[in-house]
Amino acid sequence: MSEINEAKSSISRETVAHVNRFGGEHYQYGFSSDIEADRIPPGLNEEVVRLISAKKDEPQWLLDWRLDAYERWQTMAEPDWAYVDYPPIDYQSLCYYAAPRSMENAPKTMDEVDPELLRVYKKLGIPLAEQEVLAGVRKVAVDVVFDSVSVGTTFREELATHGIIFCSFSEAVREHPALVRKYLGSVVPKSDNYFAAMNSAVFSDGSFVYIPKGVRCPMELSTYFRINEANTGQFERTLVIADKGSYVSYLEGCTAPMRDENQLHAAVVELVALEEAEIKYSTVQNWYPGDENGKGGIYNFVTKRGDCREARAHISWTQVETGSAITWKYPSCILRGDNSTGEFYSIAISNNRQQVDSGTKMLHLGRNTKSKIISKGVSAGHSSNVYRGQVNMHPKAKGARNFTQCDSLLIGDKCAAHTVPYIESKNKSAIIEHEASSSKISEDQLFFCRQRGLDPEEAVSLIVNGFCREVLQELPMEFAVEAQALLSLSLEGSVG
Amino acid sequence: MSLIEIKDLHVNVNGEPILRGINLVIKGGEVHAIMGPNGSGKSTLSYVLAGRDGYEITKGSIAFMGQDIAALPPEARAHLGMFLAFQYPIEVAGITNMTLLKTSYDALRKARGEEAMNSAQFLRLVREKAAALQMNDDMLKRQLNVGFSGGEKKRNEILQMVVLEPRFAILDETDSGLDIDALQIVAEGVNAMRSPERAMLVITHYQRLLDFIRPDYVHVLVAGQLVESGDAALALKLEAEGYAAYQNV
Ligand SMILES: Nc1ncnc2c1ncn2[C@@H]1O[C@H](COP(=O)(O)OP(=O)(O)OP(=O)(O)O)[C@@H](O)[C@H]1O
Ligand SMILES: [Mg+2]
């Protein structure tokens, strides 16, 4: 372990240096690319739902499912309980589907993908050629979603030899309809909430993963989301199924160009872990946060939920949230199987005018279920950062336990941090522990670091990295490096 | 050439005059000791030399290697080779000793236009220096000063000094809290760093430290002024007589 820690700690310096080479540009992924797109006219109505389904050549059952979701959505209201503030969104002015034109005749292998698209990913630093990945420490299979469609998935053949299915959602609908039909909406019902219902009606693509019984997935799986088109929402859907006794670690990354208007991202992620299966789901969310004055940026309204459906299943969410103008996101676990465990490790950073309302829900239904929540919120600038968490112990959840630790760090005196924990216990044998702290970066620490030669931004970045350590440690190595660099980048300009 | 030259330095903290006309010249190769009663302004002097915010120079000047540094931020002074071993060492949770050392070391290298040092090479260097201070690997992996005993924290400050190899080091009561053996180990570490290019300012309450680190000059700071200077013998006299003679000056 010590070697890994040493490596990790030395990496922090090297990454910071690497990141600094971008010349202090605040958001390095802010370029947009000129890729010819097939867009449908703006607006959300039955016509549009049918059109999206038709474009994907979907079976009738899925169209019916979408239409049902659309109907329910119309009767629902946007949630207003989160501590976020934004002007009303005109859902009829948004475009719900955009695809690169070159994808009309979907390429079958990476070699057939439009070179212009591949160049975009190269610029983003996402390896799409399998041999490039091989040069790295470990293999990572990538599914890439550009605006509304998946443009390609790597390492599929190698994964297939283990019986693992890793493909775009659309392809899963075509090739593995029984699995999709069985599990789609089984964790997040289509009318779960306003944004989930909207997603269920118009979701365009996303990733699908199935790990067969007893298989330990030999590499990290990842999806990389990119919004390119202006005025377009992204509504992807991810479904991960880990069959009995299997294991998978899944990573998700996101970026978008800098644009003056706000863009909507309303995704749904469903995880199903069967008996003794383990799913580790990590996110590094770096959507464009808007400028210093809060102009532009992504509205990230996402529903993520995992279901430990059978005994001894294990689901762990790790998230590093640095981007987006507004984040509304509560990756949760339903601990249904006896002795199942859920974990939530979160770093949420807000700077400038960003607003974050994020946290988790742990629903203890089974006996001896355990959950652990570690949340680290860092607020700077004029931002607002809310941890909202819910722990629920049902009468049958005998011997259930939860531990929650929720720390916030404030940089400057114009930002805000709130903690909103809801705890509900309907059985006496359940044990719930909650620890919370709130602190500021101290003058002493800053002076000390500067006396040791660090400039104020490096000093803040070091202290914040230390504050977030328990969560950073949970990330797969490949992501830990990127995440540490992101922490420093997203706090740029936060100290005078 | 003098390494540091302090002329008629007046410093206010929160509007209160704390230092009231300090004059001090320290040349390469020298070790100066400052002694003085609690609250006389010793730490204030160390902070103002290191450039801490909130220490307002109302009069006078500080030159380091011929350059006026009064307007430089703390990190720029560190880059020039100034080091302060804190009287009350700072904790940084989640950051290991090793990370802090590497981050600082690389920051100083960057300021000199050099590349970051290779991690394995740096680890060897630190292990060697830590061993000389009888600090083990576990200590390097622990979070910076978190849960360290008083003496361990002080030793840790010295480890940072010997790794960063400053031109000019201020040791603010590094001896307080060290046991007798530790004091000797730390003093050996400090003495090993003495060289004609380097100088030190050692703040202490106890003559004993000066048996191990022989100072060239001893100064007495009372109520924000250096009221007497002499050689090592002055420390012995202070030990015997206290500061009574200087009150009401
Ligand atoms: N931030 C501050 N606000 C108000 N007064 C201060 C501040 N910092 C220092 N002082 C005052 O300045 C005076 C000098 O303090 P300083 O810490 O320099 O003393 P010292 O000589 O180092 O004492 P000791 O031997 O106890 O370490 C004290 O009276 C102290 O109370
Ligand atoms: Mg003092």
Side-chain angles (χ1 to χ4, degrees):
Chain A
M1 87 129 220
S2 69
E3 268 176 18
I4 291 186
N5 280 345
E6 269 160 27
K8 275 197 183 175
S9 48
S10 63
I11 278 165
S12 104
R13 280 301 308 159
E14 281 149 25
T15 2
V16 171
H18 169 74
V19 167
N20 285 344
R21 267 184 259 129
F22 289 102
E25 186 188 324
H26 283 248
Y27 187 72
Q28 64 180 102
Y29 308 105
F31 62 89
S32 61
S33 319
D34 215 356
I35 304 249
E36 216 192 320
D38 167 24
R39 298 166 55 104
I40 64 172
L44 181 46
N45 49 52
E46 197 182 312
E47 200 69 8
V48 164
V49 175
R50 286 180 185 281
L51 193 61
I52 292 171
S53 186
K55 276 195 179 293
K56 306 189 136 322
D57 241 338
E58 284 176 353
Q60 186 65 37
W61 68 264
L62 190 50
L63 173 61
D64 292 344
W65 197 83
R66 287 175 181 274
L67 289 171
D68 184 37
Y70 172 67
E71 217 165 278
R72 290 166 188 245
W73 176 71
Q74 281 178 298
T75 67
M76 297 173 80
E78 223 174 298
D80 59 0
W81 41 261
Y83 296 170
V84 296
D85 185 25
Y86 53 94
I89 300 172
D90 177 5
Y91 292 100
Q92 295 307 334
S93 72
L94 292 177
C95 165
Y96 290 83
Y97 184 88
R101 205 171 282 286
S102 61
M103 295 299 294
E104 267 168 23
N105 298 309
K108 286 178 196 57
T109 70
M110 273 294 170
D111 300 340
E112 291 174 30
V113 174
D114 180 359
E116 190 54 40
L117 261 180
L118 292 180
R119 264 193 288 282
V120 173
Y121 285 95
K122 196 161 176 127
K123 203 165 161 188
L124 291 167
I126 311 295
L128 282 188
E130 299 188 358
Q131 53 280 27
E132 269 178 54
V133 191
L134 280 171
V137 198
R138 221 174 342 156
K139 282 191 241 176
V140 180
V142 191
D143 181 31
V144 171
V145 178
F146 196 83
D147 290 329
S148 298
V149 292
S150 166
V151 298
T153 311
T154 60
F155 288 108
R156 301 174 43 151
E157 280 159 32
E158 187 176 338
L159 289 169
T161 63
H162 301 272
I164 295 168
I165 304 169
F166 179 38
C167 63
S168 74
F169 205 93
S170 316
E171 191 181 329
V173 170
R174 282 195 306 274
E175 310 289 329
H176 312 282
L179 277 174
V180 175
R181 209 169 169 174
K182 179 166 177 195
Y183 291 105
L184 177 67
S186 73
V187 186
V188 179
K190 51 193 160 203
S191 56
D192 186 79
N193 67 71
Y194 188 80
F195 299 111
M198 176 192 277
N199 173 289
S200 302
V202 300
F203 76 87
S204 34
D205 214 337
S207 306
F208 177 86
V209 175
Y210 172 78
I211 315 287
K213 275 187 194 124
V215 170
R216 207 184 152 81
C217 184
M219 62 183 90
E220 305 278 343
L221 302 186
S222 79
T223 300
Y224 189 84
F225 295 105
R226 171 82 176 163
I227 298 180
N228 190 55
E229 278 295 295
N231 276 320
T232 304
Q234 186 160 18
F235 307 93
E236 82 275 357
R237 190 128 196 149
T238 302
L239 178 54
V240 179
I241 303 149
D243 212 326
K244 293 181 198 298
S246 67
Y247 166 86
V248 63
S249 166
Y250 189 92
L251 323 171
E252 174 194 75
C254 351
T255 62
M258 294 194 219
R259 297 194 189 276
D260 286 346
E261 328 84 56
N262 296 105
Q263 283 179 281
L264 179 62
H265 174 250
V268 171
V269 176
E270 297 180 277
L271 311 181
V272 180
L274 301 184
E275 195 180 324
E276 252 169 51
E278 178 175 353
I279 303 176
K280 229 176 123 61
Y281 195 103
S282 315
T283 304
V284 172
Q285 184 267 109
N286 185 26
W287 295 116
Y288 177 53
D291 70 7
E292 301 99 88
N293 305 314
K295 199 168 172 48
I298 301 290
Y299 291 167
N300 193 32
F301 300 155
V302 169
T303 307
K304 292 183 165 176
R305 195 172 303 152
D307 187 359
C308 288
R309 201 159 280 184
E310 296 178 354
R312 296 178 299 286
H314 179 74
I315 289 179
S316 151
W317 297 99
T318 305
Q319 60 171 18
V320 178
E321 302 281 317
T322 61
S324 296
I326 301 179
T327 300
W328 180 98
K329 181 181 168 190
Y330 317 89
S332 308
C333 296
I334 303 171
L335 304 169
R336 202 187 302 272
D338 291 345
N339 299 297
S340 60
T341 51
E343 289 169 339
F344 174 74
Y345 298 96
S346 168
I347 297 171
I349 308 236
S350 56
N351 195 3
N352 298 317
R353 304 272 169 183
Q354 282 176 280
Q355 307 174 51
V356 179
D357 194 300
S358 183
T360 184
K361 249 192 274 186
M362 293 290 175
L363 220 64
H364 291 256
L365 304 176
R367 291 164 171 269
N368 300 318
T369 45
K370 286 197 183 64
S371 64
K372 180 169 165 191
I373 300 171
I374 309 281
S375 160
K376 304 278 180 177
V378 181
S379 358
H382 290 79
S383 68
S384 139
N385 204 324
V386 178
Y387 166 79
R388 187 183 299 277
Q390 184 175 342
V391 176
N392 241 305
M393 303 291 189
H394 279 242
K396 280 187 190 156
K398 296 267 182 311
R401 295 191 73 138
N402 162 264
F403 173 76
T404 300
Q405 182 189 328
C406 184
D407 301 321
S408 35
L409 184 68
L410 297 160
I411 303 173
D413 51 13
K414 306 225 161 37
C415 52
H418 301 278
T419 302
V420 191
Y422 304 91
I423 295 170
E424 196 185 355
S425 181
K426 296 204 181 113
N427 93 64
K428 287 202 197 74
S429 65
I431 300 174
I432 300 172
E433 290 170 87
H434 184 97
E435 286 175 11
S437 79
S438 174
S439 52
K440 283 194 150 212
I441 288 191
S442 76
E443 235 7 85
D444 281 347
Q445 286 181 325
L446 271 180
F447 171 63
F448 166 74
C449 292
R450 295 177 72 181
Q451 205 305 303
R452 296 299 186 256
L454 280 63
D455 69 31
E457 288 193 347
E458 290 170 324
V460 167
S461 149
L462 184 82
I463 294 164
V464 168
N465 264 298
F467 174 75
C468 297
R469 189 185 67 114
E470 288 153 283
V471 176
L472 287 171
Q473 277 180 337
E474 291 298 320
L475 285 171
M477 193 63 180
E478 295 82 352
F479 259 31
V481 175
E482 189 186 337
Q484 288 190 339
L486 262 182
L487 300 192
S488 336
L489 259 186
S490 53
L491 286 170
E492 247 178 43
S494 64
V495 278
Chain B
M1 186 188 83
S2 61
L3 207 54
I4 196 148
E5 208 168 324
I6 303 167
K7 278 193 193 145
D8 193 28
L9 185 68
H10 291 250
V11 173
N12 282 7
V13 182
N14 283 336
E16 289 288 313
I18 304 293
L19 298 183
R20 303 180 303 145
I22 303 276
N23 288 288
L24 183 62
V25 176
I26 301 177
K27 296 201 179 68
E30 293 178 350
V31 171
H32 289 233
I34 290 190
M35 301 179 79
N38 294 133
S40 58
K42 302 180 298 295
S43 294
T44 302
L45 178 62
S46 72
Y47 286 147
V48 77
L49 292 179
R52 183 166 192 159
D53 283 345
Y55 291 74
E56 185 202 352
I57 298 176
T58 54
K59 196 173 166 209
S61 64
I62 309 169
F64 187 61
M65 298 194 294
Q67 180 188 354
D68 184 344
I69 58 164
L72 291 186
E75 61 274 23
R77 302 184 197 201
H79 298 161
L80 291 174
M82 261 206 199
F83 180 92
L84 169 60
F86 285 61
Q87 179 176 359
Y88 304 107
I90 306 298
E91 296 181 8
V92 183
I95 293 300
T96 63
N97 243 343
M98 197 59 202
T99 302
L100 185 269
L101 288 168
K102 180 84 163 78
T103 311
S104 306
Y105 194 81
D106 288 344
L108 298 184
R109 282 176 73 108
K110 189 172 97 187
R112 294 194 295 265
E114 295 166 22
E115 291 276 303
M117 191 188 255
N118 156 301
S119 300
Q121 201 180 340
F122 185 69
L123 186 62
R124 273 198 298 280
L125 178 136
V126 171
R127 278 194 174 137
E128 196 177 301
K129 306 243 180 194
L133 291 169
Q134 298 191 10
M135 292 172 72
N136 59 20
D137 269 18
D138 281 351
M139 206 74 152
L140 297 174
K141 284 176 203 150
R142 279 172 62 180
Q143 300 179 34
L144 186 74
N145 292 331
V146 177
F148 281 34
S149 75
E152 286 167 344
K153 286 182 182 173
K154 294 301 181 71
R155 211 186 285 209
N156 214 17
E157 295 289 293
I158 297 306
L159 174 65
Q160 289 163 30
M161 177 182 82
V162 298
V163 169
L164 300 177
E165 303 192 306
R167 260 287 163 88
F168 175 59
I170 306 163
L171 310 188
D172 192 353
E173 295 197 25
T174 301
D175 53 335
S176 308
L178 289 179
D179 66 43
I180 299 166
D181 296 337
L183 183 65
Q184 208 161 345
I185 293 161
V186 162
E188 276 166 23
V190 171
N191 286 330
M193 283 206 35
R194 291 178 79 156
S195 83
E197 298 86 54
R198 226 173 243 147
M200 286 179 210
L201 181 62
V202 178
I203 296 169
T204 182
H205 285 297
Y206 306 106
Q207 196 278 330
R208 197 185 57 193
L209 174 71
L210 306 179
D211 287 339
F212 295 108
I213 304 173
R214 300 297 301 171
D216 300 291
Y217 299 92
V218 174
H219 310 277
V220 184
L221 181 65
V222 177
Q225 291 177 319
L226 293 180
V227 291
E228 192 174 354
S229 296
D231 59 15
L234 178 55
L236 285 168
K237 185 183 132 204
L238 290 172
E239 180 106 322
E241 296 170 12
Y243 299 107
Y246 304 107
Q247 307 298 341
N248 313 317
V249 281

